[in-house]
Amino acid sequence: MITLYGRANSANVQKVTWCLAEMGIDYTRIDVGGVFGQVQTPEYQAMNPNSRVPTYVEDDFILWESNAILRYLGQRHRLFMPFLLRNRAIMQQWLDWQQTTLMPAITPVFWGLVRTKPEDRDQKAIDAGITATTAAMVILDNALKDTLYIAGDEISLADFALGIITYRYLELVKDAPALPNVHRWYGLLKTRPAFETHVLNIGLT
Ligand SMILES: N[C@@H](CCC(=O)N[C@@H](CS)C(=O)NCC(=O)O)C(=O)O
């Protein structure tokens, strides 16, 4: 039995719900975090001492860190993992880059524009975040120029992790540069029903 703890509007939860849906895996999701709270309780912290979402529970196995969950699902079900070692390494590279470069860049933009009242916004932090995220998106655009997806011509776990942030960037930054390869790739992601259900239809809140 699989239980996923985490609110549906969280970017880090969405990459996992999107992946689970793509894999056709049955699970129960429990709303915790954000307005639902619960993450500071001793019961939750016993599963996830970071008080963060998502937390993935499969029988007596507990796992946190969204990209670790993606990697586990990919290896367990042998899905969305490139066959060739080097393509697989490239997928791992972009999973790490999503967490260490892209996510920190967009966080002040998302929090400033979506979760902060206009009168309380730190415009300098938002602008710096837009600059940093745009620089990262230019890197992503360049990386997508020769392949359909980020680690080759097949979709992989890294596309899920990058796709949820790209959605936020394209929604929030209206004067983004052209990014033709990102738009072509993102167009492919948008045709996937699981992306529509677990990301596009949830909106930014
Ligand atoms: N590196 C962690 C970050 C987890 C994280 O920061 N999650 C956010 C939501 S996107 C969270 O738990 N925020 C507190 C809350 O929802 O109460 C991961 O990828 O799982």
Side-chain angles (χ1 to χ4, degrees), residues 7 10-12 33-34 39 52-54 65-66 99:
R7 55 192 166 83
S10 147
N12 288 309
V39 292
R52 299 271 161 186
V53 295
E65 278 299 331
S66 54
Q99 284 289 41

Side-chain angles (χ1 to χ4, degrees), residues 35-173:
V35 296
F36 300 98
Q38 300 296 322
V39 292
Q40 304 289 348
T41 62
E43 292 78 17
Y44 189 79
Q45 286 175 336
M47 294 192 296
N48 186 337
N50 307 289
S51 296
R52 299 271 161 186
V53 295
T55 302
Y56 174 92
V57 181
E58 185 185 301
D59 303 320
D60 58 353
F61 172 63
I62 300 172
L63 191 63
W64 39 262
E65 278 299 331
S66 54
N67 285 0
I69 298 168
L70 292 185
R71 288 175 164 113
Y72 170 74
L73 291 171
Q75 289 174 46
R76 183 172 179 350
H77 300 284
R78 299 180 186 208
L79 287 170
F80 304 110
M81 302 282 290
F83 175 74
L84 295 176
L85 177 65
R86 289 183 179 182
N87 289 69
R88 201 173 281 205
I90 297 284
M91 177 197 78
Q92 304 287 10
Q93 166 191 283
W94 288 104
L95 280 169
D96 285 354
W97 183 84
Q98 181 271 325
Q99 284 289 41
T100 58
T101 300
L102 196 53
M103 194 61 154
I106 202 159
T107 296
V109 183
F110 181 80
W111 271 87
L113 296 178
V114 178
R115 300 229 174 112
T116 308
K117 286 189 244 147
E119 60 272 26
D120 295 335
R121 283 179 188 158
D122 178 348
Q123 197 55 47
K124 260 193 180 164
I126 294 170
D127 290 344
I130 289 175
T131 301
T133 314
T134 298
M137 294 305 290
V138 169
I139 291 171
L140 182 62
D141 192 67
N142 195 45
L144 283 164
K145 72 179 182 332
D146 296 325
T147 52
L148 287 180
Y149 296 96
I150 195 61
D153 287 331
E154 306 281 334
I155 191 166
S156 75
L157 303 175
D159 297 288
F160 303 149
L162 296 168
I164 49 117
I165 306 294
T166 301
Y167 164 59
R168 284 158 173 75
Y169 177 76
L170 295 177
E171 286 295 309
L172 294 174
V173 180

